[in-house]
Structures are given as structure tokens and as C-alpha cells.
Amino acid sequence: MPTTLPVPIQFELPEGWRAEPPDAAGAPGAAFVARHPRPDAGFTANITIDGEFRPDAATLPEIAHESVERLRQAGTLVEAIGRREIGSADAPGLTQTLAVSALVGGVHRDLVQSQVYLSMLDVADPSKRAVIRLILTATASQHPQVLSDFQDFVRTVRPDTGAVS
């Protein structure tokens, strides 16, 4: 069952990408999934969105490291190949790129994940901090081709101040 985000957001999907129910896409813990129109070697690049309230004082680099450790605990080989803080003090963010070697659908795949972490305050209660995670997963060969779509997508993500809780 898909999760809901701790704070409402709005965004625009890149042209050609299509939303899919998280359960049907094999990402039941995600709040949102979009898939690229053209698979590469039997794997379809995808964008997932999830998030959680973080009442602790964990920094975005610490939260990103937790994601790497969760992948490793799931038996996935992971190497962080890049990490950079983005945004401002009022709207902090972090990007992380991972090389992932995993068994997907019974097939060994070399994948790349581009992860973006956005720290947002709950518009209804600014004392609550939420971290939204946006993830692009693609084959290593297709990643360079879909990365600009993901970057365009990330630029459209913003709090949905008109949403009803």
C-alpha cells in the first residue's frame, strides 16, 4: 500500500513519463511512482517519491547515509559516487548518486540512483520537519539520458500550500 507524504507537495512530470500506482510498480513504500516510456535492457527507469517526519536532529547527509545502509541491509551492493548539499539555509537539500548492483526481477542489474533530499517544514505546524526524498533509478547505460528529465522534475517540486490536510 502506498504511503502518504508528511507534507503535501506539487510537481510536474517530464514529458512522456507516466504515473503508476506504487504497488503495481513494485514500490509499495513510495507515495508516488512515475515510469519512463522506454525501458532499457528490460528495466524501466523510474522516479519515486517518499518522505517522513524527522523529529530528530539528523542532518541531511546522515539521512542520506541511512538510505545507503538500508540498501546494503537488503543485500544490495551500493557505492556512493557523489554527494552534494544544495539549496539554502531556509530550504536545505542534498543530492546523492549511488552505483547499485542488485537482483531485480531475477536479473542482475547495474543501476544508478540519483537521490534528492529536501527538508521542508509542515505549513500547518512549522515546528515539524519533514524530509522528502526524490529518487531516479535507471540502468547505468540509460542514466545519462534520463538525468536531465529528473533534474527538470526536481526543479518543479514545491510545497502545496493550497492542499487541504
Side-chain angles (χ1 to χ4, degrees):
M1 181 158 120
T3 62
T4 55
L5 292 174
V7 294
I9 62 171
Q10 52 184 305
F11 53 84
E12 296 174 28
L13 279 177
E15 190 173 326
W17 290 73
R18 64 191 182 290
E20 188 169 311
D23 287 337
F32 179 82
V33 175
R35 295 172 66 98
H36 191 265
R38 289 177 305 284
D40 178 51
F43 182 85
T44 304
N46 59 79
I47 295 171
T48 59
I49 304 173
D50 64 21
E52 62 184 340
F53 278 115
R54 290 300 298 235
D56 59 4
T59 65
L60 291 178
E62 290 168 339
I63 294 168
H65 180 72
E66 290 172 4
S67 293
V68 171
E69 289 307 309
R70 277 194 301 277
L71 284 170
R72 286 184 178 141
Q73 289 172 2
T76 304
L77 295 174
V78 181
E79 178 185 355
I81 55 177
R83 185 180 284 173
R84 177 172 67 93
E85 292 191 50
I86 58 171
S88 65
D90 293 336
L94 181 132
T95 65
Q96 171 171 267
T97 304
L98 306 175
V100 178
S101 181
L103 195 62
V104 180
V107 177
H108 175 77
R109 303 226 181 248
D110 289 324
L111 305 172
V112 175
Q113 275 196 356
S114 292
Q115 301 180 342
V116 175
Y117 296 81
L118 303 173
S119 182
M120 295 182 172
L121 298 179
D122 185 325
V123 291
D125 182 357
S127 68
K128 293 181 180 176
R129 175 180 73 134
V131 175
I132 304 298
R133 184 172 62 157
L134 315 167
I135 304 169
L136 167 68
T137 305
T139 61
S141 61
Q142 190 179 32
H143 186 264
Q145 299 161 8
V146 296
L147 181 59
S148 63
D149 280 355
F150 182 64
Q151 292 166 333
D152 290 345
F153 163 75
V154 170
R155 282 191 277 278
T156 71
V157 175
R158 61 196 170 280
D160 187 354
T161 55
V164 178
S165 299

